[in-house]
Amino acid sequence: MRLALDTNRYTDLCTGNGSVVETVELADEVWLPFIVLGELRAGFAVGSQGPRNEAVLRRFLLKSGVGVLYADEQTTHHYAAIYRQLRNQGTPIPTNDIWIAALILQHSLVLFARDTHFDVLPQLTRV
């Protein structure tokens, strides 16, 4: 399984949530969308454990099978299609999560997230 972590699932992983740890360990590849990195680092910047959390993140990113997903021109086409779908459905979701969904679809990944608003995008494969 090629898995992409949302911010909340990365946090769950770091706190040792058993089912999250198991799911991540079973994955062949683990990806963090660049938006997730931004959200994490924004939290680090305002939190009291910023340097420690950054060190943990850097170690995670160095693990074999872990990578970062960046947007490119093709991502913008997926973003636009999702945006149109959400607008037509009348089911908006946060902008950052539209970008995450676009990257998931572009790279044919499985999304690992707690957010139920992703449910309005049935084309996403989720765990």
Side-chain angles (χ1 to χ4, degrees):
M1 168 175 50
R2 299 177 64 232
L3 192 67
L5 298 180
D6 192 16
T7 307
N8 51 42
R9 287 303 188 191
Y10 173 82
T11 302
D12 293 342
L13 178 67
C14 289
T15 60
N17 179 305
S19 63
V20 173
V21 170
E22 181 180 343
T23 300
V24 170
E25 286 177 350
L26 291 173
D28 299 310
E29 300 173 8
V30 178
W31 295 94
L32 287 181
F34 78 98
I35 287 91
V36 169
L37 285 182
E39 291 176 346
L40 290 169
R41 288 185 166 136
F44 299 169
V46 298
S48 61
Q49 300 292 317
R52 185 186 75 73
N53 290 334
E54 180 65 32
V56 170
L57 176 60
R58 286 181 183 269
R59 280 193 304 276
F60 180 71
L61 292 173
L62 289 172
K63 290 184 175 190
S64 177
V66 174
V68 178
L69 286 175
Y70 293 98
D72 60 19
E73 184 180 359
Q74 190 60 38
T75 316
T76 65
H77 293 284
H78 289 279
Y79 180 96
I82 293 167
Y83 180 86
R84 179 182 61 235
Q85 174 187 345
L86 294 170
R87 186 175 173 137
N88 289 342
Q89 291 175 180
T91 55
I93 67 174
T95 301
N96 280 357
D97 289 338
I98 299 173
W99 283 113
I100 291 169
L103 285 165
I104 301 303
L105 291 174
Q106 177 184 0
H107 296 281
S108 302
L109 301 173
V110 175
L111 175 61
F112 196 22
R114 267 193 274 124
D115 299 315
T116 57
H117 57 250
F118 283 113
D119 293 346
V120 301
L121 297 168
Q123 68 269 41
L124 290 179
T125 304
R126 297 184 56 197
V127 234

